[in-house]
Amino acid sequence: MDLDAFTAVHRPQWERLNSLARKRRLTGGEADELLELYQSTSAQLSLIRSVAAEGALSASLSAILANARTRFTGAKSNVFVDVARFFTISLPAAFYRLRWLTVIVGAVFIVIAALFAAWAAGNPAVLAALGSDASLQQLVNHDFVNYYSENPAASFAGAVWTNNAWIAAQCVALGITGVFVPYSLFTNAQNVGITGGVMFAYGRGDTFFSYILPHGLMELTSIFIASAAGLRIFWAWVSPGPRSRLDSLAQEGRSLMTTAVGLVFVLFISGLVEAYVTPSPLPVWAKITIGALVLAAYWTYTLVLGRRAWLAGERGDLSADDAGAAAPSA
């Protein structure tokens, strides 16, 4: 098929469809014309996609058809229904599909952090390279603990929340590179491990865990989830299966960006724990119990609601219409 000739013949119809779809009010005749043009353009788009599925023309016609479809299908969906569906179906399904990769990423992170901790704690030369004895004493006896209480709790919670949400969004968005996620995980594991190693070397390992675990159980899990999402997007590009790479990336990107949005709320809760629970005078067992309950709530949410949504066919993606599904041939 000569695509240029086909476009030249049908472009006036497409422009007319676009014009009608953008009109504020339609007469009865114009509404009928809109529907007829929508049906014919859908068939033409299917034909074009059989020749050039990933071309600019296909994308342009898909956008025109989506606008027209919205025009004649009536009122917008109820925002409260959309929000409820997101939190009870789309988000838990997106978390659920990442469950095993999240566990694997977490296990790798813990192993790396433990190795660095053992290396730092058992090697005086490493400790000497990290700083003088006085500076390390200042870290383990004052700076590590004071970090969680030196600023007002509300502002500290906000700063922690935005920083961690930004890291999570980067892991998802830049996962396609295949480099950012491993690098980010390694450097974070290294930092946690070396800090823990220094604390243990000076006999403050109990302080390290009492201040890391209450918020860190959920905070680190959130980073593992974001990293898992980024790796899935990278794999969708490397191994798209029967889909084209563009379609594979689009589908994975839409569903896994749902994860990034959901993690904003998860990290908000984690930030509250870090600001109000971690530095609090509560007994250590109580603080760690609160952190463990937050983590248990996440996994219950994921494994119960997520599994239910997954078995119902939900994958965390947009609906077919919102995702711009190809219209069937007439």
Side-chain angles (χ1 to χ4, degrees), residues 64-95:
I64 292 174
L65 285 169
N67 193 31
R69 182 170 56 245
T70 301
R71 187 71 176 85
F72 67 69
T73 52
K76 298 180 180 179
S77 60
N78 186 297
V79 65
F80 297 106
V81 173
D82 290 341
V83 170
R85 185 184 190 282
F86 175 81
F87 283 107
T88 60
I89 299 177
S90 299
L91 181 58
F95 284 159

Side-chain angles (χ1 to χ4, degrees), residues 41 66 88 127 133 143 186 190 226 232 253-254:
T41 302
T88 60
L127 295 175
D133 182 68
D143 294 348
F186 180 83
Q190 181 185 52
R232 282 293 296 265
R254 286 191 307 265

Side-chain angles (χ1 to χ4, degrees), residues 95 98 101-103 105-106 109 160-172 180-181 184-189 192 215-231 259 263 266-267 270 298:
F95 284 159
L98 294 171
L101 189 52
T102 298
V103 172
V105 168
F109 182 97
V160 167
W161 177 34
T162 54
N163 178 68
N164 289 333
W166 173 238
I167 293 173
Q170 285 180 302
C171 286
V172 177
F180 181 84
V181 169
S184 178
L185 282 172
F186 180 83
T187 55
N188 278 282
V192 171
H215 65 276
L217 289 171
M218 191 66 253
E219 182 178 277
L220 288 175
T221 299
S222 297
I223 300 304
F224 303 156
I225 297 165
S227 298
L231 291 173
T259 304
L263 287 177
V266 175
L267 286 167
S270 175
Y298 163 77

Side-chain angles (χ1 to χ4, degrees), residues 8 12 15 27 38 48 77 79 95 116-117 123-124 130 162 168 211-212 217 220 225 246 251 299:
E15 291 176 348
T27 65
Y38 175 84
I48 291 170
S77 60
V79 65
F95 284 159
F116 272 106
N123 194 331
L130 293 172
T162 54
Y211 276 81
I212 285 292
L217 289 171
L220 288 175
I225 297 165
L246 184 62
Q251 182 175 347
W299 280 111

